[in-house]
Amino acid sequence: MKRFPVIGVLCVGAVLGLSACSDDSSPAEEASQAAADLCTDLNALKADNAKLKALNPANATKDQVKDAYEAVQKDWENVKENATQLKDAERAAVQSAAENLKKSYQDLPGDTTGKDARTQLQPQIEQLDQATTAAATGLRC
């Protein structure tokens, strides 16, 4: 019964992983992918730790304990790696959004009205808002 959520998460992770092979992903998409990868790895860590915990001390072999322990350690390494990638991706998403806003502002013609400037900068403002919100949520700000 507990296998279904883990299998579901792994399937979703595989689908997301395949979609991440595209070369034209934005920094925000990379941050989302890194978050999904981290969640998948955390679920795998939890599942493998549960397997280790479920081993019956009365009849578990040393090899069974070793295999379960090694699976947990491998999952932990994946969690650490993806946590770093998530932070890097969040930083890149905020940096990209801020630079896009700066470039768009600098590209405005000198005679642009405040109303027109605000309207033209709306997509970049939204992009920066989404990137900073995602980063703040990831950092639990």
Side-chain angles (χ1 to χ4, degrees):
M1 191 177 260
K2 292 183 180 179
R3 290 184 186 173
F4 180 73
V6 173
I7 292 170
V9 168
L10 293 176
C11 290
V12 168
V15 169
L16 291 173
L18 290 175
S19 66
C21 293
S22 172
D23 290 332
D24 58 347
S25 61
S26 72
E29 291 168 335
E30 289 174 12
S32 294
Q33 182 59 47
D37 290 346
L38 180 56
C39 288
T40 299
D41 289 338
L42 285 169
N43 285 326
L45 176 61
K46 185 174 182 176
D48 284 336
N49 192 53
K51 289 177 189 174
L52 179 60
K53 182 179 177 181
L55 291 175
N56 185 342
N59 60 11
T61 67
K62 187 172 182 179
D63 285 340
Q64 288 174 322
V65 173
K66 179 184 178 221
D67 291 345
Y69 165 79
E70 287 175 351
V72 167
Q73 291 305 307
K74 181 179 181 227
D75 294 337
W76 171 238
E77 290 302 318
N78 291 338
V79 166
K80 288 192 303 186
E81 180 180 331
N82 280 322
T84 299
Q85 290 176 358
L86 175 61
K87 298 302 176 206
D88 290 346
E90 288 173 342
R91 180 198 46 75
V94 173
Q95 180 179 353
S96 174
E99 288 172 358
N100 286 344
L101 178 59
K102 178 181 178 181
K103 182 178 179 341
S104 295
Y105 176 80
Q106 290 172 342
D107 289 347
L108 291 173
D111 61 347
T112 304
T113 66
K115 178 182 175 184
D116 289 342
R118 176 63 176 81
T119 300
Q120 290 176 22
L121 296 174
Q122 181 62 29
Q124 291 79 18
I125 294 168
E126 284 297 319
Q127 180 187 28
L128 182 57
D129 183 54
Q130 291 170 0
T132 55
T133 298
T137 300
L139 296 171
R140 295 183 178 165
C141 295

